[in-house]
Amino acid sequence: GMLAESDIVWVPTVAPVAALVGNDNIKQDVLKQILTEHIKMINRVWYLGGMIALGSDAGCKGAEHAEVSEYNYLKAAINDQEFDDHLKMSLAQIEWKFSK
């Protein structure tokens, strides 16, 4: 819907939530539900043509830079064999829209 039809660029991050998996202080069923819904939203926005950019919350507590690749989370969420090409096209679209 609306996000795909707008000039908004979404930079989703999965790493901060995924870093909490296994934390005894967090209800794991709730955490898994949040992750599932987040991944569904990423997939939906991608396939509706929304502008998604690759970002990183690497360095957040429990998700240090060397251990986390937001790229891998995004690629898994989108599950597209041509993900890399589409990500480059999305970047080109973002650069074009905002270079004016």
Side-chain angles (χ1 to χ4, degrees):
M2 292 175 56
L3 184 61
E5 296 167 10
S6 73
D7 283 338
I8 295 171
V9 178
W10 183 27
V11 184
T13 53
V14 180
V17 179
L20 298 173
V21 171
N23 184 324
D24 293 336
N25 296 324
I26 307 285
K27 289 186 176 184
Q28 294 298 300
D29 56 335
V30 173
L31 183 63
K32 288 175 184 174
Q33 182 180 358
I34 291 169
L35 281 169
T36 299
E37 291 302 315
H38 196 129
I39 288 168
K40 283 181 186 175
M41 285 187 287
I42 292 169
N43 189 282
R44 180 181 167 108
V45 169
W46 182 266
Y47 283 103
L48 287 175
M51 292 186 290
I52 295 179
L54 181 62
S56 176
D57 274 337
C60 67
K61 186 175 180 177
E64 286 71 26
H65 187 73
E67 296 177 305
V68 175
S69 172
E70 197 68 48
Y71 167 84
N72 290 331
Y73 288 122
L74 194 60
K75 186 171 184 173
I78 292 169
N79 193 22
D80 181 345
Q81 288 184 339
E82 298 176 2
F83 171 75
D84 291 317
D85 291 336
H86 290 189
L87 189 61
K88 288 176 190 172
M89 287 188 308
S90 183
L91 177 58
Q93 179 186 16
I94 291 165
E95 289 174 343
W96 178 81
K97 277 190 175 269
F98 296 99
S99 66
K100 298 176 182 179

